[in-house]
Amino acid sequence: MVQGYTGRFAPSPTGPLHAGSLVAALASWLDARAVGGTWLVRIEDVDTPRCLPGMDALILQQLAACGLQPDAPPTYQSHRSPLYQQALDQLVASGWAYPCACSRKEIEVACAAQGQVRSRNAELVYPGTCRSGLHGRPARAWRLRTDKFKENRPLAHIPPTSVAINLIVNGILTWNDRLLGPQQQNLAAEVGDFVLRRADGLWAYQLAVVVDDAARGITHVVRGQDLADNTPRQIWLQQALGLPTPQYLHTPLVLGPNGEKLSKQNGAQALDLAQPLAALNAAAGVLGLPAAGGDVASALAQWVVQWNS
Ligand SMILES: [Zn+2]
């Protein structure tokens, strides 16, 4: 038993589960079950224009067919706007967040003037234009400062038993991924002040995830490696809000025939509900677990035993 372990799987209802997302679902379920912990499901429908109706129900049905049953009814980010507003209010009051009036075009011009080249994920690093105020322009979005925590400090609220080595030294955030090992990012230089509430009024993924993980007492985040790059922004936000930092494990990605990450966007096939064991065996293989025969329940029971060994 890991005292108080709570994990979660957090799919976006933009398409059905596929071979890639099942790897993350299975890993997070196994990680929780292997220590007698709690496993929750959260529907990440904060980006409502991208969500497809009925997809949440289909995903839950796919999980159930694979024997992955959450310990509580799923929560929906689209129902939690007041909590995100509360967090933003707190960040504004403490000087962490500020309104930004810049359009995408203005940011591109300001970045070009700095000689900035698009590099990281083809995203520009916001040049901090509105840190000093809006100068009469209307607010469009809200951003989080990444220039705080200049001093060298261990991160607060890390559980004493944690294997994480979360530190900020000279603006560089270091954390420990349970699979990838020590990771580093200089948020101010590589990401810049990032958006908490978008110009279209939608909540940014980073804020929603951090608020929800804390609200449900998530101690362990197990998810796909495509999300690893979000971790430093989320740890930064946890620190700014005075929230605990969970432990992170990012699972290997499944690549499609073109060598790119298998995703809903590049046409990954939905899981075949008639063949859940075959889908689970493929996911287990990606996680380095041996194939299992029998039925879904006995396969899962075998992998729970093998997960930490
Ligand atoms: Zn701005």
Side-chain angles (χ1 to χ4, degrees), residues 201-212:
L202 292 176
W203 294 103
Y205 167 75
Q206 311 296 351
L207 182 69
V209 166
V210 164
V211 168
D212 286 338

Side-chain angles (χ1 to χ4, degrees), residues 197-222:
R197 187 165 201 176
R198 296 167 18 176
D200 59 9
L202 292 176
W203 294 103
Y205 167 75
Q206 311 296 351
L207 182 69
V209 166
V210 164
V211 168
D212 286 338
D213 280 343
R216 299 202 88 189
I218 301 300
T219 59
H220 292 72
V221 172
V222 178

Side-chain angles (χ1 to χ4, degrees), residues 240-261:
L241 285 164
L243 298 173
T245 289
Q247 292 190 39
Y248 291 93
L249 188 163
H250 290 90
T251 57
L253 300 180
V254 178
L255 302 182
N258 58 359
E260 285 181 10
K261 179 189 84 105

